Amino acid sequence: MKKKLCIYICLIFILILPSGCIQKKVQTISTRKYVMYNIGVLPKDLLMLDNDNIRQQDLLLCLFEGLISVDKNDEIVPALAYEWNISDDGLCYTFKMREKAKWSNGRKIKAQDFVEFFSKVLICKNNIYKEQLYCIFGAKDYVENKVDFKSVAITAIDDKTLEIRLNYPCSYFLQILSQPIYALRKDFKYLEDWKNKYSSIMYSGPFNLDNIIENDELCLIKNNEYWDKKSVLSEKIHISSEKMDAFAVADYKANETDIIVNPPISVIDEFIKKNEFFQSPSIEGISLKFNLYKGGVITNSDFRKSINYCINRNDIVENKLEGVGEAAVDYIPENINEESKAVVLDLYSNIDKAKKFLEKSKYNGQKIKIAYFNNKDINKKIVNSIVKALKILNINVSSEGYNEDELKKVINNGEYDILLSNYQGEYNFSMCFLEKYSSDSIFNIYGYKSHKFDEAILKAKIAQTKEKQIEFLNKAKEILIDDMPCIPICFVDNIVCKKNYIKNIEINKKGNIILKRVYVNNNKLKP
């Protein structure tokens, strides 16, 4: 159980720090032609299979490319595969590789490269994504060491044809494959030691890593072997790694960074006035998770529903997020592209209903502790709002914020009743949100178990029609609403601040910054 906890704990943190009063000397810009982008913390490796850090995945999108990808409109688009066909029964996917697809050393990319890639990805240590690929025939047995990879239905028919066969029709399989973590990579030993071996790595994307400068600044240069190099408009991009938001904002104001993502809310108005700000809906939310392993009143669904009715989601979005988000009226963001109905949660608190459910729970004054990551002021504001509401009901509640290392220990030791955490989908389909509550999911570290829910998710996965799939997904959501193991609060928007001379920046629904076509418009540079 502890291993399972450790794999996922890093995913609950939202890495945004409060702004400070840091001043830096503003640099003049006149001839610089390359983009400077801050991604925060650099990855420990270029596999990135043990975390879901969106900013680090931006680097993956620069250096590597998969069979397919998603554009800024979240539409599936060709990448190293120029076309694909799906069999009538929905079980066989055939991808055709581009003739011009090459590694950065000029060697042709072949279908067998993807076969080898998936064989390694599936058995990578602490891979939090492997369950996504269990829809592939033989994949789960291979991970569990029951068969060798020859029994996995990922096959190179020839150098330019890759075939993948599934256990059941999976309507969102292309969404799964479009994620940055399935971008084609090779020589995993170099990827694990990338800071020392970057010159030995074979790149498949629009840029190569050319150098690591002091203070962990990365210099990326255009990959001239990339199949779509004509669309890559920058010869060079610099990636900085200032992990503290206060310093990142200072670098931006001093013209040492051109692009920052999700800055502190307190500075957003300043960027809006300069027309250096844009926002878009995301698939990342903030929620309350209940520690169902701990026992006591927390395990009572009526008590959890009482807390749900105390929450004023509209107030949190308008006054705590200051409008850069939306209230969570469902477990699934409203901008997910499918036809499943929303299971509506209340926008406003309903204290009368909260009192009725609290009475049914037979709450006897047990002390309730809310833990949260104290890396940004918004977390504290949300928790304070909830604590204030719970005290109206005379619930004996306290809250405590922790730094990253402290919170990991608190979660590992189960020293909390309720946890304020972020959650997000890896791709544009509701399954990636809902299946995390399955009993055997690596993401389910809070003790929720429901045979009815597991059955609904399984039936949704193997449903033969879209209509049936939606029906079972809605059933799963209804079960979650009734059991309330987690309370969605809000979904946060993607916020990007960029200089006016930066052109063609794109951001997808998940929040990845796509730098493939970005460039500096020198006519807009300040002399």
Side-chain angles (χ1 to χ4, degrees):
M1 184 52 158
K2 285 191 174 181
K3 181 179 179 182
K4 185 177 180 181
L5 289 173
C6 291
I7 294 174
Y8 179 58
I9 281 173
C10 60
L11 300 182
I12 66 173
F13 302 117
I14 302 173
L15 300 176
I16 300 176
L17 298 168
S19 176
C21 299
I22 299 170
Q23 300 292 327
K24 298 188 74 170
K25 183 179 179 180
V26 177
Q27 305 293 317
T28 58
I29 302 176
S30 57
T31 60
R32 174 162 62 79
K33 297 182 179 180
Y34 58 88
V35 177
M36 301 185 69
Y37 171 45
N38 176 55
I39 67 167
V41 181
L42 291 181
K44 68 177 188 298
D45 59 51
L46 289 182
L47 298 174
M48 304 188 199
L49 293 168
D50 62 351
N51 69 80
D52 192 20
N53 187 302
I54 296 176
R55 298 284 69 77
Q56 293 177 4
Q57 288 181 8
D58 295 345
L59 180 60
L60 274 186
L61 291 174
C62 286
L63 301 175
F64 306 100
E65 190 164 85
L67 289 164
I68 53 179
S69 187
V70 290
D71 62 15
K72 62 183 179 180
N73 299 316
D74 220 58
E75 297 293 331
I76 300 291
V77 293
L80 293 179
Y82 69 89
E83 70 173 15
W84 55 89
N85 294 299
I86 307 171
S87 62
D88 291 341
D89 60 8
L91 295 178
C92 186
Y93 287 68
T94 304
F95 297 89
K96 286 292 187 178
M97 310 293 297
R98 295 182 184 276
E99 185 63 35
K100 291 183 178 180
K102 295 180 180 180
W103 294 100
S104 53
N105 63 358
R107 203 189 84 183
K108 286 192 174 183
I109 292 176
K110 301 179 180 180
Q112 184 62 30
D113 290 319
F114 275 101
V115 174
E116 295 173 1
F117 170 72
F118 282 112
S119 72
K120 294 177 181 178
V121 163
L122 277 167
I123 57 173
C124 260
K125 184 179 180 182
N126 296 339
N127 180 358
I128 65 173
Y129 299 91
K130 59 188 176 185
E131 292 175 5
Q132 296 178 356
L133 300 179
Y134 286 175
C135 57
I136 299 174
F137 182 86
K140 189 173 188 293
D141 286 342
Y142 172 64
V143 171
E144 294 175 351
N145 205 29
K146 295 178 180 178
V147 299
D148 60 26
F149 193 74
K150 291 180 180 179
S151 298
V152 181
I154 302 176
T155 309
I157 304 301
D158 54 44
D159 285 351
K160 295 300 178 183
T161 309
L162 181 74
E163 180 183 277
I164 301 178
R165 288 189 296 111
L166 308 183
N167 291 307
Y168 49 83
C170 181
S171 64
Y172 51 95
F173 184 59
L174 292 178
Q175 288 283 348
I176 292 175
L177 291 184
S178 69
Q179 297 173 80
I181 47 103
Y182 296 123
L184 181 63
R185 283 154 283 170
K186 200 173 182 65
D187 296 324
F188 280 29
K189 62 180 181 297
Y190 295 150
L191 298 171
E192 290 171 349
D193 189 26
W194 69 281
K195 287 187 178 180
N196 296 315
K197 301 294 184 181
Y198 62 85
S199 60
S200 300
I201 293 173
M202 296 165 63
Y203 302 95
S204 59
F207 297 95
N208 302 333
L209 177 50
D210 182 59
N211 196 11
I212 300 180
I213 310 170
E214 61 182 68
N215 299 322
D216 279 342
E217 183 177 313
L218 311 181
C219 177
L220 312 185
I221 59 172
K222 184 175 180 177
N223 178 5
N224 287 316
E225 298 294 340
Y226 179 56
W227 69 270
D228 193 26
K229 63 181 180 181
K230 67 179 183 302
S231 297
V232 182
L233 302 180
S234 290
E235 294 294 327
K236 183 191 300 184
I237 288 180
H238 276 218
I239 303 290
S240 60
S241 57
E242 179 50 71
K243 63 182 180 180
M244 295 186 65
D245 276 8
F247 289 103
V249 170
D251 285 347
Y252 180 87
K253 292 181 177 180
N255 293 328
E256 294 179 5
T257 300
D258 301 319
I259 307 166
I260 57 174
V261 183
N262 295 332
I265 291 176
S266 59
V267 301
I268 286 178
D269 283 345
E270 178 181 349
F271 297 133
I272 291 176
K273 292 176 182 178
K274 293 181 179 180
N275 197 29
E276 297 178 352
F277 166 93
F278 68 89
Q279 68 187 95
S280 62
S282 80
I283 52 177
E284 179 180 343
I286 298 176
S287 66
L288 293 179
K289 301 285 200 316
F290 293 91
N291 180 10
L292 301 180
Y293 288 113
K294 193 170 183 180
V297 73
I298 287 296
T299 63
N300 187 300
S301 62
D302 287 327
F303 180 76
R304 301 194 294 270
K305 289 175 184 176
S306 175
I307 293 177
N308 172 60
Y309 283 111
C310 284
I311 297 173
N312 188 329
R313 294 176 174 84
N314 184 73
D315 176 70
I316 287 173
V317 169
E318 294 299 322
N319 298 315
K320 308 303 185 292
L321 290 179
E322 297 186 17
V324 291
E326 62 181 26
V329 297
D330 190 359
Y331 281 84
I332 313 301
E334 290 186 3
N335 62 337
I336 289 293
N337 294 333
E338 59 188 71
E339 298 175 357
S340 62
K341 66 179 181 181
V343 181
V344 178
L345 298 168
D346 289 352
L347 280 174
Y348 303 94
S349 59
N350 188 324
I351 300 302
D352 289 338
K353 280 190 176 181
K355 288 179 178 178
K356 289 179 182 179
F357 278 107
L358 186 63
E359 184 177 348
K360 287 175 63 178
S361 74
K362 297 184 173 17
Y363 172 68
N364 61 4
Q366 175 184 335
K367 186 173 182 179
I368 304 300
K369 176 183 176 182
I370 303 178
Y372 64 95
F373 191 19
N374 65 1
N375 68 329
K376 63 172 187 172
D377 56 354
I378 183 60
N379 288 347
K380 185 175 182 179
K381 288 180 179 179
I382 292 175
V383 168
N384 287 345
S385 174
I386 294 171
V387 167
K388 183 178 179 180
L390 296 186
K391 286 185 175 180
I392 293 175
L393 271 65
N394 294 318
I395 293 177
N396 185 9
V397 61
S398 65
S399 63
E400 189 163 355
Y402 300 91
N403 64 34
E404 184 174 351
D405 291 335
E406 291 170 342
L407 190 54
K408 285 180 180 179
K409 291 179 181 178
V410 167
I411 296 171
N412 273 326
N413 296 330
E415 298 171 345
Y416 69 98
D417 298 292
I418 305 173
L419 177 71
L420 182 81
S421 71
N422 72 315
Y423 72 105
Q424 65 182 24
E426 292 78 33
Y427 48 88
N428 185 18
F429 195 73
S430 63
M431 182 65 75
C432 66
F433 292 90
L434 297 176
E435 67 180 348
K436 288 181 172 66
Y437 299 99
S438 299
S439 300
D440 61 352
S441 172
I442 196 173
F443 294 90
N444 184 358
I445 65 172
Y446 308 101
Y448 176 62
K449 296 185 184 301
S450 167
H451 174 72
K452 290 182 179 180
F453 178 83
D454 293 346
E455 184 179 40
I457 290 295
L458 177 59
K459 287 182 177 179
K461 285 183 176 181
I462 64 176
Q464 297 296 309
T465 65
K466 181 77 170 190
E467 291 74 18
K468 276 293 183 183
Q469 186 176 62
I470 297 300
E471 176 186 334
F472 289 121
L473 288 174
N474 284 331
K475 178 63 177 176
K477 287 195 287 185
E478 289 169 2
I479 294 169
L480 283 183
I481 290 292
D482 190 50
D483 291 344
M484 202 66 73
C486 164
I487 299 177
I489 298 173
C490 58
F491 292 99
V492 294
D493 285 347
N494 297 314
I495 306 297
V496 180
C497 298
K498 70 173 189 68
K499 301 293 186 178
N500 289 319
Y501 49 78
I502 299 297
K503 302 299 179 183
N504 282 7
I505 188 171
E506 298 176 350
I507 182 169
N508 63 24
K509 189 174 293 185
K510 184 178 179 181
N512 289 119
I513 301 297
I514 303 170
L515 299 175
K516 176 178 175 177
R517 297 177 179 83
V518 73
Y519 70 96
V520 173
N521 182 354
N522 290 92
N523 294 328
K524 294 287 186 178
L525 289 175
K526 295 179 180 180

